[in-house]
Amino acid sequence: MVMRKKNLFKALLNFFSKSDAFLLAELLEKNLHKETIRFDEIEIKESQKKDLILLAFEERILIPVKSRSGPAWEDKILDFRNDGHYFIPPVVKAMVNTIYDTGKPCCDDALRKTLGDVIHEDVGDLIKLLQTTMKHADNYMFETGLLDIFFKELTVDSDLHDIIDIFVILGVISPCPQRSLMTGLSWYEINSTLYWDKTFIEAISK
């Protein structure tokens, strides 16, 4: 258990300050197994707790349950009441478990584990679809027309809308209703933790 936590802390140092990496490692270690997390269950000093939750939300590590209108991350509201609830998206849990086991993040492994839990067939094409889209995303965001182009290049025996629904449920992507409303197009945001392996490789190569 000590080695797992050490692996996570060392990996997080490539993305966060030492203090933030330590607190995030504490938060994840103590709550990764939970379906939902109450604000008063987060065992962090009160003077640090709100800032930590804000950081974790901005990084899409921890998502509030409370919402203005719908399930989109951008509609979620930070809830600092004692009974305020949060959750860690399934794909983030898989990414953290990958770091626990190997000492480094791996988008492919996290996606394979998360998708494999709900799709009992080869998920290689779905991973390729998302990773290709990630390369062309703008600040973690993409328009579904882009996803459709890459989808048509693959031999995936599934409906694209069903795939998007699965990605949303697993915390891989989230709708962007405000941007969609402004542009008249359908936009989604990719969970930024899925870029950790790229950032990790760049960091250790310096």
Side-chain angles (χ1 to χ4, degrees):
M1 184 64 72
V2 174
M3 180 58 68
R4 283 159 57 96
K5 184 178 177 182
K6 185 178 179 180
N7 282 345
L8 180 59
F9 172 62
K10 288 178 66 177
L12 291 175
L13 282 174
N14 292 285
F15 323 118
F16 305 101
S17 68
K18 186 175 181 180
S19 59
D20 286 342
F22 177 80
L23 291 174
L24 285 169
E26 287 281 314
L27 172 71
L28 289 164
E29 181 198 26
K30 294 176 180 177
N31 297 285
L32 198 68
H33 65 285
K34 299 177 182 177
E35 289 294 322
T36 59
I37 307 157
R38 283 170 51 106
F39 178 82
D40 60 1
E41 291 177 338
I42 298 175
E43 298 176 3
I44 303 293
K45 288 182 180 179
E46 289 299 323
S47 59
Q48 298 172 311
K49 187 184 292 191
K50 290 181 181 179
D51 286 343
L52 177 66
I53 291 174
L54 175 59
L55 173 64
F57 176 43
E58 289 175 340
E59 298 294 329
R60 305 317 191 203
I61 296 169
L62 194 68
I63 308 296
V65 171
K66 189 176 181 181
S67 174
R68 294 186 186 88
S69 55
W73 297 332
E74 66 179 41
D75 286 334
K76 295 296 186 177
I77 302 172
L78 292 172
D79 190 352
F80 297 137
R81 298 172 301 171
N82 283 338
D83 61 351
H85 281 75
Y86 297 81
F87 67 93
I88 301 171
V91 74
V92 177
K93 290 185 176 184
M95 181 67 82
V96 171
N97 280 320
T98 298
I99 297 172
Y100 276 155
D101 294 338
T102 67
K104 58 185 180 180
C106 180
C107 174
D108 186 277
D109 287 351
L111 289 170
R112 195 169 297 279
K113 173 64 171 66
T114 311
L115 291 169
D117 286 343
V118 296
I119 302 174
H120 304 294
E121 56 189 62
D122 183 57
V123 297
D125 280 340
L126 297 186
I127 294 173
K128 183 178 179 181
L129 172 64
L130 182 70
Q131 290 184 331
T132 303
T133 304
M134 287 171 64
K135 292 176 183 177
H136 294 83
D138 178 18
N139 194 27
Y140 308 125
M141 294 185 182
F142 68 91
E143 194 268 315
T144 50
L146 182 68
L147 190 67
D148 186 52
I149 291 171
F150 300 137
F151 176 74
K152 289 175 179 175
E153 295 176 354
L154 300 174
T155 55
V156 180
D157 186 24
S158 300
D159 180 78
L160 181 58
H161 293 94
D162 292 340
I163 293 172
I164 290 174
D165 287 345
I166 291 171
F167 282 167
V168 169
I169 291 168
L170 297 177
V172 174
I173 63 175
S174 174
C176 300
Q178 294 180 30
R179 190 166 185 174
S180 299
L181 184 63
M182 288 188 296
T183 62
L185 301 171
S186 181
W187 285 85
Y188 283 82
E189 173 190 352
I190 299 169
N191 195 306
S192 58
T193 63
L194 293 174
Y195 289 85
W196 278 1
D197 55 353
K198 180 177 182 295
T199 308
F200 181 84
I201 292 170
E202 291 173 349
I204 63 175
S205 299
K206 291 179 180 179

PDB file of all heavy atoms in Angstrom, residues 8 12 15 33-34 37 43 48 80 107 110 113 119 123 125 130 145 151 155 161 170-172 176 178 181 198 203:
ATOM      1  N   LEU A   8       1.962   6.889  -6.906  1.00  0.00           N
ATOM      2  CA  LEU A   8       1.005   7.917  -7.299  1.00  0.00           C
ATOM      3  C   LEU A   8       1.567   9.307  -7.034  1.00  0.00           C
ATOM      4  O   LEU A   8       1.488  10.189  -7.897  1.00  0.00           O
ATOM      5  CB  LEU A   8      -0.315   7.724  -6.544  1.00  0.00           C
ATOM      6  CG  LEU A   8      -1.422   8.735  -6.859  1.00  0.00           C
ATOM      7  CD1 LEU A   8      -1.778   8.720  -8.335  1.00  0.00           C
ATOM      8  CD2 LEU A   8      -2.662   8.441  -6.006  1.00  0.00           C
ATOM      9  N   LEU A  12       2.248  12.162  -9.848  1.00  0.00           N
ATOM     10  CA  LEU A  12       1.520  13.434  -9.791  1.00  0.00           C
ATOM     11  C   LEU A  12       2.455  14.634  -9.733  1.00  0.00           C
ATOM     12  O   LEU A  12       2.078  15.739 -10.138  1.00  0.00           O
ATOM     13  CB  LEU A  12       0.576  13.446  -8.578  1.00  0.00           C
ATOM     14  CG  LEU A  12      -0.629  12.502  -8.648  1.00  0.00           C
ATOM     15  CD1 LEU A  12      -1.410  12.530  -7.336  1.00  0.00           C
ATOM     16  CD2 LEU A  12      -1.542  12.857  -9.812  1.00  0.00           C
ATOM     17  N   PHE A  15       2.768  16.765 -12.775  1.00  0.00           N
ATOM     18  CA  PHE A  15       1.666  17.634 -13.210  1.00  0.00           C
ATOM     19  C   PHE A  15       1.325  18.728 -12.208  1.00  0.00           C
ATOM     20  O   PHE A  15       0.712  19.731 -12.567  1.00  0.00           O
ATOM     21  CB  PHE A  15       0.392  16.802 -13.448  1.00  0.00           C
ATOM     22  CG  PHE A  15       0.643  15.444 -14.034  1.00  0.00           C
ATOM     23  CD1 PHE A  15       0.290  14.294 -13.344  1.00  0.00           C
ATOM     24  CD2 PHE A  15       1.243  15.307 -15.271  1.00  0.00           C
ATOM     25  CE1 PHE A  15       0.524  13.036 -13.876  1.00  0.00           C
ATOM     26  CE2 PHE A  15       1.477  14.053 -15.813  1.00  0.00           C
ATOM     27  CZ  PHE A  15       1.114  12.914 -15.120  1.00  0.00           C
ATOM     28  N   HIS A  33     -12.043   3.894  -3.713  1.00  0.00           N
ATOM     29  CA  HIS A  33     -12.952   2.742  -3.705  1.00  0.00           C
ATOM     30  C   HIS A  33     -14.424   3.132  -3.546  1.00  0.00           C
ATOM     31  O   HIS A  33     -15.312   2.286  -3.697  1.00  0.00           O
ATOM     32  CB  HIS A  33     -12.570   1.802  -2.563  1.00  0.00           C
ATOM     33  CG  HIS A  33     -12.756   2.419  -1.201  1.00  0.00           C
ATOM     34  ND1 HIS A  33     -11.891   3.373  -0.703  1.00  0.00           N
ATOM     35  CD2 HIS A  33     -13.719   2.234  -0.240  1.00  0.00           C
ATOM     36  CE1 HIS A  33     -12.293   3.735   0.507  1.00  0.00           C
ATOM     37  NE2 HIS A  33     -13.396   3.069   0.804  1.00  0.00           N
ATOM     38  N   LYS A  34     -14.707   4.397  -3.273  1.00  0.00           N
ATOM     39  CA  LYS A  34     -16.076   4.817  -2.961  1.00  0.00           C
ATOM     40  C   LYS A  34     -16.857   5.191  -4.220  1.00  0.00           C
ATOM     41  O   LYS A  34     -16.300   5.732  -5.169  1.00  0.00           O
ATOM     42  CB  LYS A  34     -16.062   6.012  -2.007  1.00  0.00           C
ATOM     43  CG  LYS A  34     -15.394   5.732  -0.660  1.00  0.00           C
ATOM     44  CD  LYS A  34     -15.357   6.986   0.195  1.00  0.00           C
ATOM     45  CE  LYS A  34     -14.645   6.743   1.520  1.00  0.00           C
ATOM     46  NZ  LYS A  34     -14.544   7.982   2.337  1.00  0.00           N
ATOM     47  N   ILE A  37     -18.466  10.450  -2.512  1.00  0.00           N
ATOM     48  CA  ILE A  37     -17.671  10.929  -1.384  1.00  0.00           C
ATOM     49  C   ILE A  37     -18.353  12.150  -0.789  1.00  0.00           C
ATOM     50  O   ILE A  37     -18.641  13.116  -1.501  1.00  0.00           O
ATOM     51  CB  ILE A  37     -16.256  11.327  -1.859  1.00  0.00           C
ATOM     52  CG1 ILE A  37     -15.607  10.181  -2.647  1.00  0.00           C
ATOM     53  CG2 ILE A  37     -15.385  11.744  -0.679  1.00  0.00           C
ATOM     54  CD1 ILE A  37     -14.512  10.645  -3.583  1.00  0.00           C
ATOM     55  N   GLU A  43     -10.648  13.747   4.379  1.00  0.00           N
ATOM     56  CA  GLU A  43      -9.801  13.974   5.556  1.00  0.00           C
ATOM     57  C   GLU A  43      -8.595  14.839   5.198  1.00  0.00           C
ATOM     58  O   GLU A  43      -7.455  14.391   5.174  1.00  0.00           O
ATOM     59  CB  GLU A  43      -9.373  12.636   6.144  1.00  0.00           C
ATOM     60  CG  GLU A  43     -10.551  11.785   6.621  1.00  0.00           C
ATOM     61  CD  GLU A  43     -10.123  10.420   7.108  1.00  0.00           C
ATOM     62  OE1 GLU A  43      -8.905  10.159   7.136  1.00  0.00           O
ATOM     63  OE2 GLU A  43     -11.002   9.612   7.444  1.00  0.00           O
ATOM     64  N   GLN A  48      -7.257  23.702   3.780  1.00  0.00           N
ATOM     65  CA  GLN A  48      -6.775  23.267   2.462  1.00  0.00           C
ATOM     66  C   GLN A  48      -7.858  22.571   1.636  1.00  0.00           C
ATOM     67  O   GLN A  48      -7.707  22.421   0.425  1.00  0.00           O
ATOM     68  CB  GLN A  48      -5.594  22.290   2.639  1.00  0.00           C
ATOM     69  CG  GLN A  48      -4.389  22.889   3.336  1.00  0.00           C
ATOM     70  CD  GLN A  48      -3.340  21.839   3.650  1.00  0.00           C
ATOM     71  OE1 GLN A  48      -3.644  20.781   4.206  1.00  0.00           O
ATOM     72  NE2 GLN A  48      -2.101  22.130   3.282  1.00  0.00           N
ATOM     73  N   PHE A  80     -19.810  22.748  -0.745  1.00  0.00           N
ATOM     74  CA  PHE A  80     -18.962  22.668   0.434  1.00  0.00           C
ATOM     75  C   PHE A  80     -19.742  22.422   1.723  1.00  0.00           C
ATOM     76  O   PHE A  80     -19.205  22.586   2.824  1.00  0.00           O
ATOM     77  CB  PHE A  80     -18.131  23.945   0.564  1.00  0.00           C
ATOM     78  CG  PHE A  80     -17.181  24.162  -0.579  1.00  0.00           C
ATOM     79  CD1 PHE A  80     -17.033  25.421  -1.147  1.00  0.00           C
ATOM     80  CD2 PHE A  80     -16.432  23.116  -1.096  1.00  0.00           C
ATOM     81  CE1 PHE A  80     -16.158  25.634  -2.202  1.00  0.00           C
ATOM     82  CE2 PHE A  80     -15.552  23.311  -2.152  1.00  0.00           C
ATOM     83  CZ  PHE A  80     -15.415  24.573  -2.707  1.00  0.00           C
ATOM     84  N   CYS A 107      -2.860   6.095 -20.786  1.00  0.00           N
ATOM     85  CA  CYS A 107      -4.209   6.316 -21.305  1.00  0.00           C
ATOM     86  C   CYS A 107      -4.783   5.033 -21.878  1.00  0.00           C
ATOM     87  O   CYS A 107      -5.938   4.683 -21.631  1.00  0.00           O
ATOM     88  CB  CYS A 107      -4.169   7.418 -22.363  1.00  0.00           C
ATOM     89  SG  CYS A 107      -5.719   7.692 -23.236  1.00  0.00           S
ATOM     90  N   ALA A 110      -5.846   2.592 -19.120  1.00  0.00           N
ATOM     91  CA  ALA A 110      -7.009   3.095 -18.386  1.00  0.00           C
ATOM     92  C   ALA A 110      -8.284   2.927 -19.216  1.00  0.00           C
ATOM     93  O   ALA A 110      -9.323   2.498 -18.699  1.00  0.00           O
ATOM     94  CB  ALA A 110      -6.811   4.557 -18.014  1.00  0.00           C
ATOM     95  N   LYS A 113      -9.216  -0.873 -19.573  1.00  0.00           N
ATOM     96  CA  LYS A 113      -9.838  -1.409 -18.358  1.00  0.00           C
ATOM     97  C   LYS A 113     -11.263  -0.877 -18.200  1.00  0.00           C
ATOM     98  O   LYS A 113     -12.196  -1.653 -17.914  1.00  0.00           O
ATOM     99  CB  LYS A 113      -8.998  -1.004 -17.137  1.00  0.00           C
ATOM    100  CG  LYS A 113      -9.618  -1.353 -15.790  1.00  0.00           C
ATOM    101  CD  LYS A 113      -9.754  -2.859 -15.601  1.00  0.00           C
ATOM    102  CE  LYS A 113     -10.166  -3.223 -14.189  1.00  0.00           C
ATOM    103  NZ  LYS A 113     -11.532  -2.752 -13.853  1.00  0.00           N
ATOM    104  N   ILE A 119     -18.034  -3.212 -22.095  1.00  0.00           N
ATOM    105  CA  ILE A 119     -18.136  -3.747 -23.456  1.00  0.00           C
ATOM    106  C   ILE A 119     -17.336  -5.037 -23.515  1.00  0.00           C
ATOM    107  O   ILE A 119     -16.113  -5.037 -23.441  1.00  0.00           O
ATOM    108  CB  ILE A 119     -17.579  -2.748 -24.500  1.00  0.00           C
ATOM    109  CG1 ILE A 119     -18.327  -1.430 -24.425  1.00  0.00           C
ATOM    110  CG2 ILE A 119     -17.672  -3.332 -25.905  1.00  0.00           C
ATOM    111  CD1 ILE A 119     -17.752  -0.347 -25.317  1.00  0.00           C
ATOM    112  N   VAL A 123     -11.979  -3.662 -27.625  1.00  0.00           N
ATOM    113  CA  VAL A 123     -12.227  -2.209 -27.559  1.00  0.00           C
ATOM    114  C   VAL A 123     -11.118  -1.415 -28.224  1.00  0.00           C
ATOM    115  O   VAL A 123     -11.064  -0.192 -28.101  1.00  0.00           O
ATOM    116  CB  VAL A 123     -12.410  -1.751 -26.092  1.00  0.00           C
ATOM    117  CG1 VAL A 123     -13.627  -2.409 -25.471  1.00  0.00           C
ATOM    118  CG2 VAL A 123     -11.148  -2.039 -25.264  1.00  0.00           C
ATOM    119  N   ASP A 125     -10.550  -0.525 -31.313  1.00  0.00           N
ATOM    120  CA  ASP A 125     -10.973   0.509 -32.254  1.00  0.00           C
ATOM    121  C   ASP A 125     -11.550   1.727 -31.528  1.00  0.00           C
ATOM    122  O   ASP A 125     -11.374   2.866 -31.976  1.00  0.00           O
ATOM    123  CB  ASP A 125     -12.016  -0.040 -33.233  1.00  0.00           C
ATOM    124  CG  ASP A 125     -11.371  -0.845 -34.358  1.00  0.00           C
ATOM    125  OD1 ASP A 125     -10.166  -0.659 -34.599  1.00  0.00           O
ATOM    126  OD2 ASP A 125     -12.069  -1.664 -34.984  1.00  0.00           O
ATOM    127  N   LEU A 130     -10.840   7.432 -29.842  1.00  0.00           N
ATOM    128  CA  LEU A 130     -10.690   8.503 -28.860  1.00  0.00           C
ATOM    129  C   LEU A 130      -9.300   9.126 -28.922  1.00  0.00           C
ATOM    130  O   LEU A 130      -9.163  10.353 -28.899  1.00  0.00           O
ATOM    131  CB  LEU A 130     -10.968   7.983 -27.451  1.00  0.00           C
ATOM    132  CG  LEU A 130     -10.876   9.066 -26.378  1.00  0.00           C
ATOM    133  CD1 LEU A 130     -12.033  10.053 -26.506  1.00  0.00           C
ATOM    134  CD2 LEU A 130     -10.855   8.476 -24.982  1.00  0.00           C
ATOM    135  N   GLY A 145     -18.517  16.477 -35.159  1.00  0.00           N
ATOM    136  CA  GLY A 145     -18.229  16.261 -36.578  1.00  0.00           C
ATOM    137  C   GLY A 145     -16.845  15.667 -36.773  1.00  0.00           C
ATOM    138  O   GLY A 145     -16.628  14.828 -37.654  1.00  0.00           O
ATOM    139  N   PHE A 151     -14.593   8.170 -36.897  1.00  0.00           N
ATOM    140  CA  PHE A 151     -15.427   6.988 -36.705  1.00  0.00           C
ATOM    141  C   PHE A 151     -15.642   6.265 -38.037  1.00  0.00           C
ATOM    142  O   PHE A 151     -15.600   5.022 -38.107  1.00  0.00           O
ATOM    143  CB  PHE A 151     -16.773   7.401 -36.105  1.00  0.00           C
ATOM    144  CG  PHE A 151     -17.761   6.280 -35.953  1.00  0.00           C
ATOM    145  CD1 PHE A 151     -17.607   5.326 -34.958  1.00  0.00           C
ATOM    146  CD2 PHE A 151     -18.850   6.181 -36.814  1.00  0.00           C
ATOM    147  CE1 PHE A 151     -18.522   4.287 -34.818  1.00  0.00           C
ATOM    148  CE2 PHE A 151     -19.764   5.151 -36.682  1.00  0.00           C
ATOM    149  CZ  PHE A 151     -19.599   4.199 -35.689  1.00  0.00           C
ATOM    150  N   THR A 155     -13.624   0.338 -38.525  1.00  0.00           N
ATOM    151  CA  THR A 155     -14.624  -0.719 -38.732  1.00  0.00           C
ATOM    152  C   THR A 155     -15.263  -1.067 -37.397  1.00  0.00           C
ATOM    153  O   THR A 155     -15.125  -2.179 -36.886  1.00  0.00           O
ATOM    154  CB  THR A 155     -13.972  -1.968 -39.350  1.00  0.00           C
ATOM    155  OG1 THR A 155     -12.876  -2.375 -38.508  1.00  0.00           O
ATOM    156  CG2 THR A 155     -13.448  -1.666 -40.739  1.00  0.00           C
ATOM    157  N   HIS A 161     -23.601   7.343 -31.589  1.00  0.00           N
ATOM    158  CA  HIS A 161     -24.290   7.940 -30.441  1.00  0.00           C
ATOM    159  C   HIS A 161     -24.193   7.039 -29.211  1.00  0.00           C
ATOM    160  O   HIS A 161     -24.059   7.519 -28.091  1.00  0.00           O
ATOM    161  CB  HIS A 161     -25.755   8.222 -30.792  1.00  0.00           C
ATOM    162  CG  HIS A 161     -25.927   9.289 -31.824  1.00  0.00           C
ATOM    163  ND1 HIS A 161     -26.050   9.006 -33.167  1.00  0.00           N
ATOM    164  CD2 HIS A 161     -25.959  10.643 -31.715  1.00  0.00           C
ATOM    165  CE1 HIS A 161     -26.172  10.145 -33.845  1.00  0.00           C
ATOM    166  NE2 HIS A 161     -26.116  11.145 -32.993  1.00  0.00           N
ATOM    167  N   LEU A 170     -18.718   6.817 -18.487  1.00  0.00           N
ATOM    168  CA  LEU A 170     -17.450   6.411 -17.879  1.00  0.00           C
ATOM    169  C   LEU A 170     -16.559   7.586 -17.499  1.00  0.00           C
ATOM    170  O   LEU A 170     -15.470   7.392 -16.959  1.00  0.00           O
ATOM    171  CB  LEU A 170     -16.696   5.470 -18.829  1.00  0.00           C
ATOM    172  CG  LEU A 170     -17.407   4.145 -19.142  1.00  0.00           C
ATOM    173  CD1 LEU A 170     -16.598   3.331 -20.141  1.00  0.00           C
ATOM    174  CD2 LEU A 170     -17.647   3.338 -17.872  1.00  0.00           C
ATOM    175  N   GLY A 171     -17.017   8.811 -17.787  1.00  0.00           N
ATOM    176  CA  GLY A 171     -16.236   9.988 -17.422  1.00  0.00           C
ATOM    177  C   GLY A 171     -15.098  10.270 -18.377  1.00  0.00           C
ATOM    178  O   GLY A 171     -14.181  11.040 -18.055  1.00  0.00           O
ATOM    179  N   VAL A 172     -15.155   9.672 -19.570  1.00  0.00           N
ATOM    180  CA  VAL A 172     -14.124   9.901 -20.585  1.00  0.00           C
ATOM    181  C   VAL A 172     -14.318  11.271 -21.231  1.00  0.00           C
ATOM    182  O   VAL A 172     -13.360  12.004 -21.467  1.00  0.00           O
ATOM    183  CB  VAL A 172     -14.162   8.789 -21.658  1.00  0.00           C
ATOM    184  CG1 VAL A 172     -13.194   9.085 -22.792  1.00  0.00           C
ATOM    185  CG2 VAL A 172     -13.852   7.435 -21.020  1.00  0.00           C
ATOM    186  N   CYS A 176     -20.570  19.853 -23.658  1.00  0.00           N
ATOM    187  CA  CYS A 176     -20.288  21.264 -23.391  1.00  0.00           C
ATOM    188  C   CYS A 176     -21.489  22.079 -23.862  1.00  0.00           C
ATOM    189  O   CYS A 176     -21.455  22.675 -24.951  1.00  0.00           O
ATOM    190  CB  CYS A 176     -19.031  21.715 -24.125  1.00  0.00           C
ATOM    191  SG  CYS A 176     -17.548  20.818 -23.682  1.00  0.00           S
ATOM    192  N   GLN A 178     -22.864  24.966 -23.101  1.00  0.00           N
ATOM    193  CA  GLN A 178     -22.733  26.403 -23.357  1.00  0.00           C
ATOM    194  C   GLN A 178     -22.070  26.670 -24.705  1.00  0.00           C
ATOM    195  O   GLN A 178     -22.551  27.482 -25.503  1.00  0.00           O
ATOM    196  CB  GLN A 178     -21.936  27.073 -22.231  1.00  0.00           C
ATOM    197  CG  GLN A 178     -22.653  27.043 -20.879  1.00  0.00           C
ATOM    198  CD  GLN A 178     -21.844  27.701 -19.777  1.00  0.00           C
ATOM    199  OE1 GLN A 178     -21.077  28.620 -20.027  1.00  0.00           O
ATOM    200  NE2 GLN A 178     -22.002  27.225 -18.556  1.00  0.00           N
ATOM    201  N   LEU A 181     -24.430  25.645 -27.481  1.00  0.00           N
ATOM    202  CA  LEU A 181     -25.502  26.627 -27.674  1.00  0.00           C
ATOM    203  C   LEU A 181     -24.996  27.835 -28.461  1.00  0.00           C
ATOM    204  O   LEU A 181     -25.695  28.343 -29.352  1.00  0.00           O
ATOM    205  CB  LEU A 181     -26.039  27.077 -26.320  1.00  0.00           C
ATOM    206  CG  LEU A 181     -27.239  28.035 -26.333  1.00  0.00           C
ATOM    207  CD1 LEU A 181     -28.454  27.367 -26.978  1.00  0.00           C
ATOM    208  CD2 LEU A 181     -27.589  28.485 -24.916  1.00  0.00           C
ATOM    209  N   LYS A 198       1.050  11.556 -21.806  1.00  0.00           N
ATOM    210  CA  LYS A 198       1.817  12.406 -22.712  1.00  0.00           C
ATOM    211  C   LYS A 198       2.641  13.425 -21.926  1.00  0.00           C
ATOM    212  O   LYS A 198       3.828  13.615 -22.178  1.00  0.00           O
ATOM    213  CB  LYS A 198       0.873  13.137 -23.680  1.00  0.00           C
ATOM    214  CG  LYS A 198       1.561  14.058 -24.683  1.00  0.00           C
ATOM    215  CD  LYS A 198       0.542  14.653 -25.630  1.00  0.00           C
ATOM    216  CE  LYS A 198       1.224  15.548 -26.669  1.00  0.00           C
ATOM    217  NZ  LYS A 198       1.857  16.737 -26.103  1.00  0.00           N
ATOM    218  N   ALA A 203       7.732  15.216 -19.337  1.00  0.00           N
ATOM    219  CA  ALA A 203       8.372  15.668 -18.095  1.00  0.00           C
ATOM    220  C   ALA A 203       9.645  14.868 -17.791  1.00  0.00           C
ATOM    221  O   ALA A 203      10.679  15.433 -17.426  1.00  0.00           O
ATOM    222  CB  ALA A 203       7.405  15.566 -16.932  1.00  0.00           C
TER     223      ALA A 203
END
